[in-house]
Amino acid sequence: MKKLINDPANVVAETLKGFAAAHADLVTVYTDPDYVVRADAPVQGKVGLVSGGGSGHEPLHAGYVGLGMLDAAVPGAVFTSPTPDPILEATKKVDGGKGVLHIVKNYTGDVLNFETAAELAEMEDITVKAVVVNDDVAVEDSTWTAGRRGVAGTVLVEKIAGAAAERGDDLDGVLAIAERVNAKVRSMGVALTACTVPHVGKPSFDLPDDEIEIGIGIHGEPGRERIKLAPADEITDRLVDAILADRTWSGKVLLFVNGMGGTPEAELYIVYAHARARLEAAGLEVSRSLVGNYITSLEMQGCSITVLELDDELTELYDAPVHTVALRRGV
């Protein structure tokens, strides 16, 4: 294992220390328990948005804390859900009097721990509602989930719901927007290599050099099938075919090609070009695009394709300004 770390047991703590020092203008980092909030939290009169999950998916979630997106993010250990205590503390810290929305990826640990934190917050007179993101079309149940996994579509839920909260929507309104995005977004991924969790010290699964995993999860969970390495267009076809077959699509869409952490941008744009051509051939208009590493799996090589069907309101909210570490304005 070759990583720029000191002690595998201290990876999250040292990451948060550096994150706090680098971005003190945008966020405040709390430890014991660990959570990150926007520097001006709580914003009075605004619905608070809290998300989180295991570390190792950076910039998700802490990178999206700030104006126009999340009010707080709660990092667990690498690939491990945070416990209810830090989720509760983050919820309390961002409550501006209008309630708090939890945005939860559909992994069993995340769902249970956010539910417990919400119940504890309600006991302290904080109204909490939740949306569970389940955009992955690869498998119905996986190693860590009942039902579909929440993957790259989570970024779009956080962006659009965050814009709705920023413009002043009430809690029910922000929840409705988040649920609408979740209903209209689909994702499918592929892994070329495994990643190595620091405290484990070896690859999370075995994948021969000439094989790839179609439909992989962001923690290395198995996908639909393992096939021989193929040209990028053939791999892209498999991902797009699964997405197009999963629902009825029409009109304008956002096309999001996400890197898993170890894939060069050049390769992501090769995938994007063919995916866009496929969507246009299916009669869809790609009116918004996103390409890059937005939700990763440590150093895994591979990518995911996400498609979101847009309407005028969702487009307006997606285009709203943000000021976060990962999506900050300027350089």
Side-chain angles (χ1 to χ4, degrees):
M1 180 176 71
K2 292 182 178 179
K3 291 182 180 290
L4 289 173
I5 62 175
N6 295 307
D7 183 341
N10 295 332
V11 166
V12 175
E14 293 185 5
T15 297
L16 289 174
K17 181 180 179 180
F19 191 80
H23 306 299
D25 60 323
L26 293 180
V27 300
T28 302
V29 176
Y30 292 87
T31 58
D32 195 25
D34 298 337
Y35 59 96
V36 180
V37 302
R38 55 191 280 180
D40 57 351
V43 181
Q44 295 300 320
K46 188 187 85 69
V47 172
L49 267 63
V50 179
S51 193
S55 297
H57 304 302
E58 290 76 22
L60 196 82
H61 296 275
Y64 303 123
V65 172
L67 184 145
M69 287 192 75
L70 297 176
D71 292 88
V74 188
V78 175
F79 290 3
T80 303
S81 172
T83 60
D85 287 348
I87 301 170
L88 172 62
E89 292 304 313
T91 300
K92 292 161 59 176
K93 188 67 70 173
V94 304
D95 176 34
K98 294 296 184 180
V100 176
L101 178 69
H102 286 172
I103 299 175
V104 188
K105 300 189 302 301
N106 189 32
Y107 294 94
T108 301
D110 288 0
V111 171
L112 292 176
N113 288 334
F114 271 89
E115 284 179 350
T116 300
E119 292 170 359
L120 295 171
E122 295 279 359
M123 293 171 63
E124 300 195 31
D125 296 323
I126 300 173
T127 302
V128 178
K129 297 191 176 182
V131 58
V132 177
V133 183
N134 57 353
D135 56 305
D136 185 21
V137 305
V139 292
E140 281 297 328
D141 297 291
S142 70
T143 310
W144 295 347
T145 65
R148 295 183 172 191
R149 303 172 292 210
V151 287
T154 310
V155 177
L156 305 181
V157 174
E158 292 178 355
K159 172 67 182 75
I160 294 173
E166 206 71 56
R167 76 180 178 183
D169 290 16
D170 63 14
L171 182 56
D172 286 337
V174 177
L175 173 62
I177 288 289
E179 290 178 335
R180 198 157 104 218
V181 175
N182 188 52
K184 290 174 173 283
V185 67
R186 299 289 188 273
S187 300
M188 180 80 160
V190 59
L192 280 64
T193 66
C195 62
T196 298
V197 176
H199 63 267
V200 176
K202 62 181 181 180
S204 54
F205 57 93
D206 295 321
L207 190 60
D209 290 342
D210 64 341
E211 292 183 356
I212 60 175
E213 183 87 18
I214 300 292
I216 196 75
I218 58 174
H219 309 97
E221 311 96 309
R224 286 188 175 185
E225 58 181 334
R226 186 168 290 191
I227 66 170
K228 294 295 184 181
L229 180 64
D233 285 359
E234 292 182 24
I235 297 170
T236 301
D237 282 337
R238 287 177 177 267
L239 305 185
V240 173
D241 285 345
I243 290 170
L244 290 178
D246 197 72
R247 68 184 298 272
T248 301
W249 298 88
S250 64
K252 297 180 179 180
V253 298
L254 181 153
L255 172 58
F256 173 19
V257 176
N258 174 68
M260 294 291 192
T263 305
E265 282 196 6
E267 296 176 24
L268 298 181
Y269 279 109
I270 291 172
V271 171
Y272 173 87
H274 189 63
R276 179 168 183 143
R278 284 293 315 280
L279 295 181
E280 291 174 343
L284 301 175
E285 178 185 346
V286 179
S287 64
R288 296 292 185 276
S289 303
L290 194 61
V291 181
N293 290 293
Y294 293 92
I295 169 172
T296 62
S297 299
L298 295 171
E299 78 282 16
M300 183 186 289
Q301 290 181 313
C303 74
S304 61
I305 295 175
T306 297
V307 181
L308 168 64
E309 185 175 295
L310 294 168
D311 54 39
D312 289 344
E313 184 180 28
L314 295 185
T315 301
E316 178 183 353
L317 290 169
Y318 178 78
D319 289 343
V322 295
H323 197 199
T324 71
V325 171
L327 298 173
R328 68 189 305 169
R329 298 297 186 184
V331 177

